[in-house]
Amino acid sequence: MSLDKATVAKIAHLARIKVPEEELDHLAGELSQILTFVEQLNEVDTGNVPPMTSVAAQKLRRRKDEVTDGGYRDAVLSNGPETAEGFYVVPKVVE
Amino acid sequence: MSYIQGETGDWEIVIGLEVHAQVISNAKLFSGAATAFGAEPNSQVSFVDAAFPGMLPVINEHCIEQAVRTGLGLKAQINLHSVFDRKNYFYADLPQGYQISQYLQPIVGKGEIVLDLPDGSSRTVGVTRLHLEQDAGKSLHDQHPAKTYIDLNRSGVALMEIVSEPDMRSAEEAGAYVRKLRSILRYLGTCDGNMEEGSMRCDVNVSVRKPGEPFGTRCEIKNVNSIRFVMQAIEYEARRQIEIIEEGGKIDQETRLWDTTKFVTRSMRSKEEAHDYRYFPDPDLLPLELEPEWVEDIKKTLPELPDDKKARFISEYKLSPYDANVLVSEKARADFYEAVAKGRDPKLAANWVTGELFGYLNKAGKEIEESPVSAENLGGLIDLIADNTISGRIAKEVFEAMFETGEKAADIVEKKGLRQVTDTGAIEASIDAVLAANADKVAEFRSGKDKLFGFFVGQVMKATQGKANPALVNEILTTKLKG
Amino acid sequence: MAELTHLTMAGALDGLAKKEFTAVELAEAHVKAVETIRPLNAFITETPDKALEMAKASDARRAKGEAGPMEGLPIAVKDLFCTKGVLTTAASHILDGFKPEYESTVTSNLWRDGAVMLGKVNLDEFAMGSANITSHHGNVISPWSPGEVGNWSRQLVPGGSSGGSAAAVAARAALGATGTDTGGSIRQPAAFTGIVGIKPTYGRCSRWGVVAFASSLDQAGPMTRTVEDAAIMLRSMCGFDPKDSTSVDMPVPDFRAALTGDIRGLRVGIPKEYRVEGMPAEIAAIWDQGIEWLKAAGAEPVEISLPHTKYALATYYIVAPAEASSNLARYDGVRFGLRVEGGSLKDLYENTRGAGFGKEVRRRILIGTYVLSAGYYDAYYNKARQVRTRIKWDFDEAFQRCDVILTPTAPSTAFAIGEKMDDPIQMYLNDVFTVPASLAGLPGMSVPAGIGSDGLPLGLQLLGRPFDEETVLRVGQVIEKAAAVTATPPFMA
């Protein structure tokens, strides 16, 4: 699979990573190379093979419905780059 | 079928609903933080909910149980194997950058909801699926001119997304669907259905077509938070789409918003971009496996649901479908009614509950839980009618006083001296007095003017301040006038 | 007391028990050693005050007769483990200034058992790399690099991603270090630096509080100078954690007790597919030597087949980036770490993540985003999950015929910084022998087995059945003793 610049720009946007225009070409080359490498999997017959969900052969464990966490607003906000009045703050979002 | 009249003829609206119902639980779906509504911002947030590095989800068993209970209540298929997926997108109030949801393998499959329409008829709407997912946080846009404030208290609270088939054809049906679903959820105790607090929200899919034609392109109206708005938004959106098509335009599949001040739908700017959610099974969680016995145990604890209750009210109490509907729509109403009806005339009880009581509650803006007249006291009032202590007419007066004071019917009757006169001697005396005072009218009556009977009854009731037993008055008066 | 830093954990525990020295003395010696090895850039954050404070508390506990299994042992912590109040960076710019308000389960377990923290060690950014050359905090240099310290003739990589852990332990600045292994990040650097590194079975160590790279593969483990030390430290790190849904509720054995040296009758699987084309002769030779050692100890080598081995890397380079692309979405400049402002929220996201992630991380996020995107999911991600199942089946079948598997750890000895850097695929090939066991969730250990013609360490890898770390450790110690590698890095504290 060969990715073009436009596709790389689209993926970068989907991943919310700003990629400088001048790096797109090079990146497209690298990503294409990786995709070509991983496409060797097409050789493997996986007809009825179930996709692996987890290597841990066990059941999903469940918690009791008890309040055991939270209630520490200061700790939650202490690493925040911008906070005010107990909120995280971001540039205005228009819906 | 209710069609909309357009320039080019009839149009049919096609509606499907996705309802997000907040699960009643103490703690969140994947964290131990509290779920209570209205707490200080970010005070019910764990590091898991705020997606700090290295934090991991562990599922709340009760939320699974609630989803299964709801599925059973919707007569739906319970999937013993289901999978939690990540739905990836960036948004201010989605700290993980993904929402843990269920995509290809939801916990609940196909079910149904029976709509009770205003004309007393019923219609079944298919439920496509129900899945569990995390709620997002809340963005506040009005705290600062240039900033959005983020509160993550709601982040991670368990939601059930209940998706309907595109089976509805009018705003009324959509309204009935939401009402019925809310009623079922409340019966089950799985969601409080409080739309004002956002614990139930609707995404409404609307398209229009000429009757008999394939489905048109749909628009999704996001996050509508009242039944009235759901209906208004559908009406508006359908007309908007018809207008566009009739003017030769094309409908763009898009996400829209119901503007609650201008009463229009408008395109959501934040959702303009095409989404690619990149769903994949959450590697922090394993597939959810349910034991059939566990599901059976939940089934055994299901309460009687509105449809069954309605059927029982009709057969057991001989109520009309309409009255039964009104009574079963809320469990508290149905319970109230049954407490009143127990050992009494069920029709009379239904009349009093749906008539006087609901009327007064409505006027006072009160819920049944806040009724000043308890079921026991209303029953007491009906007993007084049944044993002829008071007449139906006096009973209404007594009820009014009960609603104001919360006192027992018997006490009010006693205090106000409203006890019905059943002493035939006293009634006879009154009648004699009335007949004596209106000898001319008696003569007229006897010469064939039957209509005067009512006049005599009125005079007797007036003389006894309404307390005379009407049946006795009729009986004695008839005998005397024939005289 | 320079010799204190050259002790093994077992030796140090002995000395502490015999009151030959105190935990504070042991910590002081290591704090100094940490300073000495600064030219290696192994540490991102040194915590000398914390080390001394913890050592003091340790001495007090020992005095009260409450010594834990790792009482007083100074260790380094890979900077991927969240440590309360101590800067935690994942070697990424995007976590600038992040001080967690919580402590990872694995480090909590270590402190519970008496270990002492020397600081947070360097790694590849978000553990993505095999050479420790992707860290925002600079490359780690292997203490095996030839030449004058600081003016090396060749700057060798320590391997990665746990390069700082490997360098610190090999250079005698810590008795052990925590590592994490997603595709070989414990085993390959252990091999490159001549130390022991074990990745236990997936689910043994809690992932809670460890910055996630690829959730279905990430597993913590110890890096030490001896197999016995690995057994000691592994026991403290493991244990059921109800906060991690993938943590396994199983008792943790006394791994040290498994080191009996008796491997008679044990069937050692030799996978033929690992004899890859172009394998350097000395790698093949050390492997053969390993087989001979085990045979001499009474084990029985059996040839096994793991037919899907050649697809493991490709599988890994779909699964790991896919999970990473989602795991790293939370680094958005809103709640912690770096924020690069922008006019809109979208700009803020893109600027922050554009500036905050290094090139390798960016590459993997983009690959991961692509393979999960609409239209490609089945062709890439789902296909990879299916192949992963087949790789797991291969191992299941192989373990019908053998009790443990022996392979080389890495296809080469350590290379120099600057080599293999232009071609991501070449770099990925470092993990060719370690990735299959990661995909299958199996325990794997690298043990020093010899020294190559370039004077650099060579490691052998042992793979075991799920939750059978005991056999892996037992066989590993047999190799360790037979190999009896005495060479040490030219630069040590």
Side-chain angles (χ1 to χ4, degrees):
Chain A
M1 171 67 73
S2 174
L3 296 188
D4 57 20
K5 247 170 91 167
T7 309
V8 176
K10 211 183 94 191
I11 306 167
H13 176 66
L14 206 51
R16 296 292 185 276
I17 298 178
K18 187 175 181 174
V19 177
E21 170 72 23
E22 63 272 18
E23 290 179 34
L24 286 174
D25 265 329
H26 182 68
L27 202 50
E30 281 179 346
L31 299 183
S32 301
Q33 199 191 347
I34 296 170
L35 287 174
T36 306
F37 172 70
V38 300
E39 276 160 15
Q40 57 174 296
L41 294 191
N42 293 332
E43 297 165 15
V44 186
D45 176 13
T46 50
N48 285 320
V49 180
M52 182 173 284
T53 37
S54 175
V55 287
Q58 55 169 352
K59 283 191 177 171
L60 183 62
R61 212 172 31 248
R62 308 163 190 182
R63 281 189 357 257
K64 282 211 173 77
D65 182 28
E66 288 164 358
V67 177
T68 55
D69 208 349
Y72 40 69
R73 178 164 85 183
D74 293 348
V76 159
L77 296 177
S78 69
N79 276 288
E82 189 180 355
T83 61
E85 299 159 52
F87 295 96
Y88 292 111
V89 178
V90 297
K92 190 119 183 143
V93 178
V94 184
E95 287 195 336
Chain B
M1 284 295 152
S2 60
Y3 293 137
I4 293 191
Q5 189 68 41
E7 295 283 320
T8 58
D10 285 344
W11 291 87
E12 187 179 44
I13 320 177
V14 175
I15 305 153
L17 287 166
E18 290 167 23
V19 173
H20 290 91
Q22 187 180 312
V23 173
I24 295 176
S25 65
N26 298 317
K28 294 183 181 180
L29 181 55
F30 293 111
S31 91
T35 58
F37 178 78
E40 286 292 298
N42 289 310
S43 65
Q44 296 182 161
V45 179
S46 75
F47 295 121
V48 177
D49 309 317
F52 271 68
M55 292 300 102
L56 297 171
V58 180
I59 199 161
N60 181 336
E61 173 158 46
H62 184 63
C63 295
I64 304 172
E65 190 182 323
Q66 293 284 58
V68 169
R69 188 184 302 281
T70 305
L72 292 169
L74 299 176
K75 298 184 174 62
Q77 179 197 329
I78 306 300
N79 295 325
L80 299 178
H81 176 95
S82 68
V83 173
F84 288 96
D85 297 285
R86 292 187 183 175
K87 179 182 183 181
N88 295 282
Y89 64 98
F90 287 88
Y91 205 67
D93 47 27
L94 188 74
Q96 291 169 142
Y98 57 84
Q99 176 194 34
I100 305 179
S101 180
Q102 297 189 297
Y103 183 49
L104 293 176
Q105 293 170 274
I107 186 164
V108 175
K110 281 191 185 304
E112 62 180 47
I113 292 181
V114 178
L115 307 191
D116 307 298
L117 298 170
D119 64 1
S121 69
S122 295
R123 177 159 149 56
T124 302
V125 170
V127 169
T128 314
R129 58 183 282 165
L130 174 155
H131 69 251
L132 275 170
E133 63 183 25
Q134 299 175 299
D135 205 347
K138 216 173 157 187
S139 297
L140 293 96
H141 306 298
D142 49 6
Q143 309 279 308
H144 188 286
K147 306 280 188 184
T148 289
Y149 283 24
I150 312 291
D151 173 13
L152 297 180
N153 277 349
R154 223 175 54 193
S155 167
V157 168
L159 293 181
M160 296 179 285
E161 180 173 326
I162 302 158
V163 182
S164 84
E165 296 285 331
D167 283 354
M168 287 157 277
R169 297 290 177 269
S170 68
E172 288 69 36
E173 286 184 5
Y177 174 89
V178 180
R179 260 194 299 273
K180 186 59 173 283
L181 175 59
R182 185 175 61 180
S183 163
I184 293 170
L185 296 174
R186 284 176 169 166
Y187 266 75
L188 292 166
T190 56
C191 169
D192 68 21
N194 194 330
M195 297 186 80
E196 275 163 34
E197 289 178 4
S199 46
M200 211 173 128
R201 315 189 284 275
C202 301
D203 295 345
V204 190
N205 284 295
V206 180
S207 65
V208 296
R209 64 173 173 187
K210 285 287 174 75
E213 283 185 3
F215 289 148
T217 305
R218 64 190 163 86
C219 289
E220 185 181 22
I221 312 160
K222 277 263 180 218
N223 268 333
V224 189
N225 65 0
S226 85
I227 292 173
R228 193 162 50 94
F229 289 157
V230 166
M231 295 170 68
Q232 288 171 346
I234 291 169
E235 293 283 0
Y236 176 87
E237 180 60 20
R239 287 185 192 283
R240 185 188 74 87
Q241 291 183 14
I242 290 167
E243 232 169 80
I244 290 173
I245 299 168
E246 289 191 331
E247 282 167 12
K250 212 170 116 277
I251 304 300
D252 294 325
Q253 184 164 345
E254 61 176 356
T255 305
R256 299 178 69 84
L257 206 65
W258 175 244
D259 187 323
T260 54
T261 50
K262 297 187 185 120
F263 297 99
V264 298
T265 65
R266 61 178 167 81
S267 194
M268 267 180 96
R269 281 175 56 182
S270 60
K271 301 271 180 182
E272 262 171 21
E273 292 173 46
H275 277 294
D276 187 341
Y277 290 124
R278 290 159 284 137
Y279 283 100
F280 75 107
D282 191 329
D284 287 331
L285 297 163
L286 299 153
L288 176 62
E289 310 283 351
L290 304 179
E291 302 292 333
E293 303 78 42
W294 189 73
V295 174
E296 273 311 305
D297 286 348
I298 296 173
K299 203 172 194 169
K300 282 178 205 148
T301 68
L302 285 193
E304 182 184 38
L305 290 171
D307 290 337
D308 293 335
K309 206 179 275 286
K310 179 182 168 186
R312 182 167 63 82
F313 280 15
I314 292 170
S315 69
E316 190 176 324
Y317 300 129
K318 313 287 176 233
L319 300 187
S320 69
Y322 178 85
D323 278 352
N325 255 347
V326 171
L327 287 170
V328 305
S329 66
E330 283 174 38
K331 184 163 182 298
R333 289 179 166 196
D335 289 347
F336 191 101
Y337 165 72
E338 290 212 270
V340 175
K342 195 173 178 202
R344 303 190 176 96
D345 175 357
K347 283 290 285 181
L348 189 58
N351 288 344
W352 275 94
V353 173
T354 60
E356 294 299 306
L357 178 66
F358 287 177
Y360 273 87
L361 286 174
N362 206 13
K363 230 184 285 171
K366 285 192 157 107
E367 294 297 322
I368 188 107
E369 291 86 345
E370 308 162 300
S371 171
V373 180
S374 68
E376 191 194 342
N377 286 356
L378 181 54
L381 177 66
I382 293 169
D383 290 342
L384 294 182
I385 303 167
D387 70 7
N388 285 328
T389 306
I390 52 173
S391 68
R393 202 168 64 85
I394 290 292
K396 292 192 177 182
E397 194 182 325
V398 175
F399 183 86
E400 187 176 2
M402 288 169 77
F403 199 87
E404 272 163 27
T405 63
E407 285 175 52
K408 286 185 178 165
D411 294 347
I412 292 167
V413 168
E414 233 19 81
K415 214 179 331 177
K416 295 199 172 177
L418 296 175
R419 184 172 285 275
Q420 180 166 251
V421 180
T422 50
D423 171 353
T424 36
I427 293 173
E428 246 177 277
S430 276
I431 289 173
D432 288 344
V434 167
L435 296 185
N438 296 286
D440 49 340
K441 295 258 180 2
V442 175
E444 278 179 49
F445 179 87
R446 284 180 178 153
S447 64
K449 217 168 170 189
D450 291 356
K451 280 180 185 166
L452 278 171
F453 190 78
F455 164 80
F456 294 118
V457 174
Q459 289 301 306
V460 175
M461 291 313 276
K462 200 171 160 189
T464 59
Q465 287 136 342
K467 288 181 286 185
N469 178 313
L472 281 176
V473 172
N474 277 351
E475 191 187 316
I476 299 166
L477 199 54
T478 307
T479 324
K480 295 224 176 216
L481 281 170
K482 274 185 188 157
Chain C
M1 276 195 288
E3 71 277 12
L4 286 185
T5 58
H6 286 241
L7 292 168
T8 61
M9 284 186 169
L13 283 174
D14 215 34
L16 286 164
K18 290 181 182 151
K19 303 203 178 357
E20 288 167 10
F21 46 85
T22 63
V24 169
E25 285 166 335
L26 190 62
E28 278 168 348
H30 278 94
V31 164
K32 241 180 105 195
V34 168
E35 284 175 30
T36 310
I37 67 150
R38 276 181 192 163
L40 300 179
N41 195 33
F43 280 77
I44 291 175
T45 306
E46 297 173 6
T47 56
D49 295 343
K50 200 167 182 81
L52 295 176
E53 180 193 314
M54 289 174 89
K56 215 168 136 188
S58 171
D59 281 331
R61 280 194 300 272
R62 190 176 286 279
K64 276 196 280 176
E66 293 167 0
M70 285 186 69
E71 198 59 66
L73 302 182
I75 59 165
V77 174
K78 187 177 184 178
D79 207 13
L80 202 61
F81 293 81
C82 291
T83 42
K84 193 171 180 177
V86 177
L87 185 70
T88 299
T89 67
S92 180
H93 188 27
I94 209 155
L95 271 171
D96 270 4
F98 175 56
K99 286 190 179 166
E101 299 273 357
Y102 48 91
E103 184 80 27
S104 83
T105 299
V106 162
T107 48
S108 296
N109 291 349
L110 288 164
W111 314 145
R112 173 204 65 204
D113 281 1
V116 168
M117 179 163 86
L118 295 167
K120 306 291 292 290
V121 278
N122 211 340
L123 64 149
D124 278 302
E125 184 181 0
F126 281 104
M128 296 180 192
S130 311
N132 216 127
I133 50 171
T134 70
S135 168
H136 176 66
H137 299 273
N139 300 336
V140 176
I141 294 159
S142 170
W144 289 87
S145 302
E148 192 190 324
V149 173
N151 192 20
W152 289 282
S153 54
R154 253 180 112 210
Q155 286 193 5
L156 297 177
V157 304
S161 67
S162 310
S165 306
V169 173
R172 272 64 178 171
L175 293 182
T178 63
T180 63
D181 190 316
T182 304
S185 281
I186 287 175
R187 292 161 286 162
Q188 183 256 19
F192 276 17
T193 56
I195 64 169
V196 176
I198 180 166
K199 174 197 97 75
T201 313
Y202 182 84
R204 268 279 194 216
C205 284
S206 167
R207 294 184 297 113
W208 193 88
V210 186
V211 175
F213 161 15
S215 311
S216 75
L217 297 156
D218 294 345
Q219 191 58 202
M223 300 174 78
T224 57
R225 291 196 289 269
T226 67
V227 172
E228 186 180 25
D229 288 1
I232 293 170
M233 189 163 168
L234 180 62
R235 187 188 177 192
S236 290
M237 291 173 74
C238 289
F240 172 60
D241 182 2
K243 289 186 291 198
D244 174 359
S245 299
T246 61
S247 165
V248 177
D249 192 358
M250 267 177 90
V252 180
D254 179 358
F255 294 119
R256 212 173 163 184
L259 305 176
T260 60
D262 183 0
I263 59 162
R264 282 172 298 174
L266 206 74
R267 297 166 303 164
V268 180
I270 310 298
K272 59 178 186 195
E273 290 81 4
Y274 279 55
R275 291 208 187 266
V276 291
E277 217 178 297
M279 178 188 272
E282 65 180 8
I283 300 287
I286 196 77
W287 190 10
D288 291 337
Q289 178 64 68
I291 298 168
E292 290 310 313
W293 284 329
L294 295 181
K295 221 154 83 178
E300 178 203 337
V302 287
E303 192 188 69
I304 56 164
S305 174
L306 299 167
H308 295 87
T309 298
K310 68 177 279 208
Y311 300 108
L313 268 186
T315 303
Y316 178 82
Y317 277 97
I318 292 172
V319 172
E323 292 181 11
S325 71
S326 175
N327 281 338
L328 270 57
R330 64 188 56 196
Y331 305 100
D332 59 7
V334 176
R335 297 167 316 285
F336 41 76
L338 181 73
R339 169 182 287 197
V340 181
E341 297 291 347
S344 68
L345 179 64
K346 207 182 85 192
D347 293 341
L348 184 150
Y349 285 156
E350 296 193 342
N351 292 345
T352 301
R353 293 166 60 80
F357 292 132
K359 288 204 166 128
E360 181 61 27
V361 172
R362 182 177 75 179
R363 196 150 49 213
R364 297 201 197 186
I365 292 176
L366 295 182
I367 283 288
T369 303
Y370 183 75
V371 299
L372 288 176
S373 64
Y376 298 102
Y377 178 86
D378 284 325
Y380 290 104
Y381 188 69
N382 224 26
K383 181 84 184 177
R385 288 171 66 212
Q386 287 180 306
V387 179
R388 191 175 174 188
T389 301
R390 298 212 70 161
I391 290 168
K392 171 88 166 60
W393 287 353
D394 283 355
F395 279 108
D396 290 348
E397 213 161 293
F399 279 119
Q400 303 285 322
R401 303 190 50 228
C402 66
D403 305 303
V404 70
I405 294 171
L406 178 75
T407 80
T409 308
S412 70
T413 55
F415 46 90
I417 293 169
E419 289 171 16
K420 304 191 184 189
M421 292 199 175
D422 299 337
D423 182 352
I425 305 286
Q426 269 307 307
M427 188 60 86
Y428 295 172
L429 285 172
N430 268 295
D431 302 327
V432 65
F433 298 138
T434 48
V435 153
S438 293
L439 291 169
L442 304 173
M445 177 167 73
S446 179
V447 191
I451 298 293
S453 55
D454 51 6
L456 300 178
L458 292 165
L460 284 175
Q461 176 180 235
L462 291 154
L463 305 175
R465 294 196 179 96
F467 304 104
D468 189 14
E469 287 82 5
E470 288 164 286
T471 300
V472 168
L473 287 160
R474 182 160 59 239
V475 178
Q477 199 190 39
V478 169
I479 291 183
E480 178 184 49
K481 286 194 169 154
V485 180
T486 51
T488 54
F491 178 43
M492 289 190 289

